Amino acid sequence: MTTRHFVIATAGHVDHGKSALVKALTGTDPDRLPEEKARQITIELGFAELTLTTPTGKTVHAGIVDVPGHEDFVRNMIAGVGSIDLALLAVAADDGWMPQTEEHLQILTYLGVQRAVIVLTKCDLGNVETVAAQIRDQLEQSPFTNFQIVPTSVRTGQGIRDLKDALARELGELRPPRHIEKPRLFVDRAFVLRGVGTVATGTLSGGSIRRGQDAVVQPRNVSARVRSLQNHGRDIEMAQAGMRTAMNLPDVSIGEKEMERGDVITVQILGSPNAMIDVLI
């Protein structure tokens, strides 16, 4: 059976339980930085993985990107939701709809995200029916007006199984990521590991890339070689469209002249950046 790969991203106001929800779903704490632990908020993007079985018996593998909810880190949030298939929009039952909830909803809308599961978190602390009605009112003019609201509590375990089922249903209705032989990885993290060299991570779209393949970092047109590939810490020979992918590019340095967050790793045959395009309407 072929496993299909998708990417989910969290969204929602600060302290509405997004990271705790990811940990409850996957067993992985996406907050990895000491400052995040100390402040108990997400600052940088976090990552986890979840394998689900759809109602029709298909296996889907979801990479989960956990994004910051604080207004100071909205740039980091945008970096995490640029190439996703499904949004996990969290609203806490004790707070209800808040400013960053609205801001994240607008970002998802502007980026063209079409599918979501709405999670009502901290249901052991608030009025579930009142806040659920508030959410419906706020979503009425959005692309997510008819999507399911799942009440949850990570403290009691309420709704976590229901949330997995809802995610499986939504992902089961999605088409597999397009494979058009034009692989592109939009870099959302770039860092150096001692003894390994430069590593770039992102969600691969448009095609596949193999270990040992030549690549290019755009828009700087920097040549690179993919020494190794990983998917959630596992070495792989080939990354496929829809996979969270880590690429080891030992010949590339990090910085404005060679590679940084927001750049695109692709293959040479796709050409170079251009200031002009032709459009037929």
Side-chain angles (χ1 to χ4, degrees):
M1 181 181 295
T2 301
T3 300
R4 299 190 297 168
H5 296 271
F6 298 100
V7 175
I8 301 169
T10 62
H13 194 79
V14 62
D15 200 32
H16 275 203
K18 298 184 295 297
S19 299
L21 196 64
V22 172
K23 186 175 181 179
L25 285 169
T26 67
T28 299
D29 185 353
D31 288 340
R32 64 190 187 282
L33 302 179
E35 186 179 358
E36 292 177 316
K37 302 291 188 184
R39 296 176 63 180
Q40 295 187 327
I41 63 171
T42 300
I43 298 171
E44 265 292 352
L45 301 176
F47 305 95
E49 60 177 328
L50 182 64
T51 299
L52 299 166
T53 302
T54 70
T56 58
K58 296 178 181 177
T59 301
V60 292
H61 182 272
I64 301 181
V65 182
D66 184 42
V67 309
H70 197 283
E71 60 183 342
D72 290 347
F73 308 117
V74 68
R75 285 178 174 267
N76 296 352
M77 182 272 180
I78 293 172
V81 300
S83 302
I84 69 168
D85 302 292
L86 181 70
L88 194 63
L89 180 62
V91 182
D94 58 341
D95 269 350
W97 197 269
M98 295 291 281
Q100 263 60 63
T101 316
E102 180 64 30
E103 185 173 23
H104 284 199
L105 173 64
Q106 294 301 324
I107 290 169
L108 294 172
T109 302
Y110 295 151
L111 292 176
V113 178
Q114 296 293 315
R115 302 188 77 90
V117 172
I118 319 302
V119 190
L120 187 52
T121 61
K122 304 186 182 183
C123 283
D124 54 312
L125 300 178
N127 188 326
V128 173
E129 292 184 2
T130 299
V131 178
Q134 181 193 38
I135 294 170
R136 282 288 176 222
D137 288 341
Q138 295 291 338
L139 294 177
E140 189 172 356
Q141 302 301 320
S142 80
F144 311 130
T145 183
N146 294 319
F147 285 100
Q148 183 177 357
I149 298 176
V150 183
T152 65
S153 168
V154 298
R155 183 179 298 176
T156 66
Q158 174 191 349
I160 300 303
R161 180 69 260 173
D162 294 337
L163 179 55
K164 288 183 177 181
D165 291 342
L167 292 172
R169 283 195 299 273
E170 290 296 332
L171 294 176
E173 293 178 7
L174 290 173
R175 294 181 179 180
R178 293 174 57 193
H179 191 299
I180 54 175
E181 299 184 359
K182 295 181 178 180
R184 303 177 304 281
L185 183 136
F186 293 88
V187 177
D188 54 32
R189 279 199 306 162
F191 52 91
V192 176
L193 289 178
R194 181 178 297 180
V196 175
T198 297
V199 176
T201 73
T203 300
L204 188 64
S205 62
S208 60
I209 288 184
R210 292 184 175 275
R211 183 171 68 87
Q213 187 169 349
D214 291 330
V216 60
V217 182
Q218 298 289 14
R220 296 169 177 81
N221 199 31
V222 175
S223 296
R225 181 179 60 85
V226 182
R227 183 162 70 182
S228 62
L229 292 164
Q230 286 193 345
N231 171 245
H232 291 288
R234 293 182 294 271
D235 291 326
I236 54 176
E237 286 294 314
M238 182 176 68
Q240 301 174 10
M243 277 188 172
R244 284 294 308 174
T245 303
M247 294 185 181
N248 178 207
L249 308 172
D251 305 323
V252 179
S253 61
I254 296 175
E256 293 184 3
K257 292 185 177 180
E258 295 210 359
M259 184 175 67
E260 58 185 357
R261 173 182 279 174
D263 288 350
V264 181
I265 301 172
T266 182
V267 291
Q268 194 71 49
I269 60 172
L270 291 189
S272 58
N274 200 306
M276 298 179 65
I277 61 173
D278 294 326
V279 178
L280 177 63
I281 300 179

